[in-house]
Amino acid sequence: MSTKKPHTRLSVNINKIATLRNARGENRPSVEQVAADCQRFGAEGITVHPRPDERHIRRADVFNLRPLVGVEFNIEGYPSPEFMDLVLKVRPEQVTLVPDAADALTSSAGWDVEANMEFLTSIVERLKGAGIRSSIFVGTDTANIKAAAATGTDRVELYTKPYADLYPKDPAAAVAPYVEASRAAHNLGLGINAGHDLDLNNLAYFRRALPWLHEVSIGHALICDALYLGLEETVRRYKECLTETEN
């Protein structure tokens, strides 16, 4: 296998834009306009996570965004019958499977793949049959990543909150499990995505350390930064974190 690092794509999660919009019940800010602007400013993906209660992204948003997203469209969610019906109709480039309960505030853990092997394998097969890339949200346990590969998934997404929490105290220790996990995934033929609490302070270090990293999905931190820096400058800075070390 090649040891050259892939270009790491930035996918902007626009859920928080929908949260702000929903607070007033109108269409301001517009998730469609923000998605278009993110693409114009250089984002290489748009991510949404429609939850059953539609507290941020709604099913209607997903359908409205599909013709407007000219970059990679990534839909995250728990693969319930309703979620699968949505993604098979919309057919995004990628679906990221997360184990969240319906009322979860945010994604807080990866799958125990072995315990859900039959279920996840059947979901991955359905996505593959529809020509949709699949990614399974996991922690850094390499045995769990090996189980993920056995489902037939295309990629794994590494849950990076533990990295973000430890980074201020000990960056090397924080990133070490992710380096090992990314190598294991690469050796199994999997692509590697990452997300959760990555920001302008810790992203560049994470990108430099990982041997292979195809994509990061960032929402909350990026939207918070955009309040101060503006959306265009924020996207530029996040992309700079991902490209300054490429070889």
Side-chain angles (χ1 to χ4, degrees):
M1 292 186 179
S2 172
T3 59
K4 184 178 180 181
K5 289 184 177 182
H7 169 70
T8 304
R9 294 173 175 266
L10 171 66
S11 186
V12 178
N13 186 318
I14 59 173
N15 278 13
K16 288 300 186 292
I17 300 300
T19 302
L20 182 58
R21 176 203 62 189
N22 294 352
R24 287 288 295 267
E26 299 172 350
N27 193 37
R28 186 176 183 182
S30 162
V31 294
E32 293 92 345
Q33 184 61 56
V34 171
D37 288 340
C38 286
Q39 293 173 89
R40 183 162 55 89
F41 299 149
E44 296 149 305
I46 298 295
T47 292
V48 295
H49 187 152
R51 295 183 181 273
D53 62 6
E54 296 195 319
R55 66 178 180 266
H56 36 63
I57 289 293
R58 301 168 178 158
R59 286 177 62 91
D61 294 327
V62 180
F63 286 106
N64 291 339
L65 285 165
R66 173 68 283 191
L68 302 177
V69 176
V71 292
E72 179 188 276
F73 195 21
N74 173 46
I75 303 180
E76 300 178 345
Y78 178 81
S80 65
E82 295 77 14
F83 179 84
M84 292 301 294
D85 174 71
L86 175 65
V87 299
L88 291 174
K89 286 177 178 174
V90 173
R91 296 192 178 232
E93 283 72 29
Q94 178 174 268
V95 167
T96 301
L97 305 171
V98 298
D100 294 358
D103 60 351
L105 182 63
T106 186
S107 301
S108 58
W111 287 94
D112 179 340
V113 181
E114 189 65 40
N116 295 276
M117 178 64 73
E118 184 176 351
F119 175 61
L120 288 171
T121 299
S122 68
I123 294 297
V124 167
E125 287 176 353
R126 292 181 67 190
L127 294 172
K128 195 177 294 288
I132 301 169
R133 182 200 308 141
S134 59
S135 179
I136 296 179
F137 194 59
V138 295
T140 56
D141 180 79
T142 55
N144 199 45
I145 292 170
K146 185 175 181 179
T151 69
T153 191
D154 302 291
R155 294 187 182 184
V156 289
E157 178 171 328
L158 300 176
Y159 172 55
T160 49
K161 180 173 172 54
Y163 163 75
D165 288 346
L166 183 56
Y167 174 82
K169 296 180 180 178
D170 192 338
V175 83
Y178 293 87
V179 173
E180 182 180 359
S182 68
R183 285 177 176 155
H186 178 74
N187 289 337
L188 289 163
L190 297 172
I192 300 103
N193 298 341
H196 211 290
D197 289 356
L198 295 173
D199 59 27
L200 289 175
N201 295 314
N202 60 39
L203 180 59
Y205 185 87
F206 188 81
R207 171 65 182 84
R208 285 195 299 270
L210 261 64
W212 300 277
L213 181 62
H214 292 87
E215 174 184 309
V216 293
S217 175
I218 304 176
H220 185 80
L222 189 150
I223 299 305
C224 290
D225 288 332
L227 294 175
Y228 296 95
L229 302 173
L231 186 59
E232 182 172 10
E233 175 64 12
T234 299
V235 171
R236 186 194 70 78
R237 291 194 190 188
Y238 274 87
K239 287 195 66 178
E240 186 176 69
C241 289
L242 297 172
T243 58
E244 64 184 11
T245 61
E246 290 184 352
N247 52 29

